[in-house]
């Protein structure tokens, strides 16, 4: 069993502004999670949030930047588990930006949810991406100059 997520947003902001929001670690901390992200291929970084022991999640997302095309594409791994060194979720996050009428089409592909447990995780993550994360992301974009 495998599940992939594809979420699209039409944003009334230029690609460069959207890019800044997904690659600036301070802005990422405001709409997603605390992090030590750097937009450098090969950089390993972590997102930090509240642990969810019942879901086998220690609160740390382990990532590595795999691809960067400025203002167009950002790809990184997204891994998690019950404790450091034990990975039960091994997925890939791809952000694609393209100019759209009056702004930017932002596409998030979160792929590679394998197995029943990760299938369930994908349902919760999809709801989070579509609701809470979207609201915070758009709020930050609107506040940026």
């Amino acid at each position: 069993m495998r599940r992939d997520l594809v979420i699209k947003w039409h944003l009334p902001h230029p690609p460069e502004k959207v890019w800044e929001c997904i690659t600036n670690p301070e802005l990422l901390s405001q709409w997603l999670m605390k992090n030590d992200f750097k937009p450098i291929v090969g950089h390993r970084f972590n997102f930090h949030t509240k642990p969810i022991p019942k879901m086998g999640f220690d609160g740390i997302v382990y990532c590595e930047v795999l691809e960067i095309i400025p203002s167009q594409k950002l790809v990184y791994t997204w891994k998690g588990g019950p404790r450091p060194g034990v990975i039960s979720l091994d997925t890939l996050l791809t952000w694609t930006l393209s100019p759209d009428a009056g702004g930017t089409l932002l596409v998030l592909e979160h792929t590679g949810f394998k197995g029943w447990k990760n299938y369930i995780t994908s349902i919760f993550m999809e709801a989070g991406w579509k609701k809470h994360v979207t609201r915070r992301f758009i709020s930050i974009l609107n506040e940026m100059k």
Side-chain angles (χ1 to χ4, degrees):
M1 176 178 291
R2 179 187 165 110
R3 185 165 192 250
D4 297 332
L5 307 177
V6 178
I7 303 167
K8 299 177 182 181
W9 296 276
H10 296 274
L11 304 165
H13 303 280
E16 297 76 20
K17 186 174 180 181
V18 176
W19 180 258
E20 176 74 10
C21 203
I22 66 171
T23 60
N24 179 312
E26 292 173 18
L27 294 174
L28 269 170
S29 291
Q30 293 176 43
W31 65 268
L32 190 53
M33 289 180 263
K34 293 179 183 177
N35 66 85
D36 58 342
F37 175 80
K38 291 180 185 173
I40 300 168
V41 172
H43 176 66
R44 293 177 187 267
F45 67 99
N46 297 327
F47 286 111
H48 298 271
T49 192
K50 182 180 175 183
I52 310 171
K54 288 182 181 180
M55 295 291 292
F57 177 54
D58 65 359
I60 303 171
V61 180
Y62 305 89
C63 306
E64 180 179 355
V65 178
L66 302 179
E67 183 179 356
I68 295 177
I69 302 172
S71 296
Q72 294 178 34
K73 189 175 184 181
L74 173 63
V75 181
Y76 49 84
T77 60
W78 182 284
K79 301 178 183 187
R83 62 186 176 277
V86 179
I87 300 298
S88 55
L89 177 69
D90 188 352
T91 59
L92 191 68
L93 215 70
T94 302
W95 297 98
T96 306
L97 297 78
S98 53
D100 194 22
T104 302
L105 171 62
L106 177 63
V107 179
L108 166 64
E109 296 175 75
H110 195 164
T111 60
F113 293 92
K114 297 175 189 168
W116 177 248
K117 184 177 178 187
N118 288 332
Y119 182 90
I120 299 300
T121 298
S122 75
I123 292 169
F124 285 106
M125 292 193 75
E126 180 178 32
W129 284 120
K130 287 182 174 179
K131 188 175 181 183
H132 305 293
V133 173
T134 298
R135 186 184 72 247
R136 292 189 306 257
F137 182 75
I138 290 172
S139 176
I140 296 301
L141 266 175
N142 290 336
E143 291 172 13
M144 291 171 62
K145 296 189 183 209

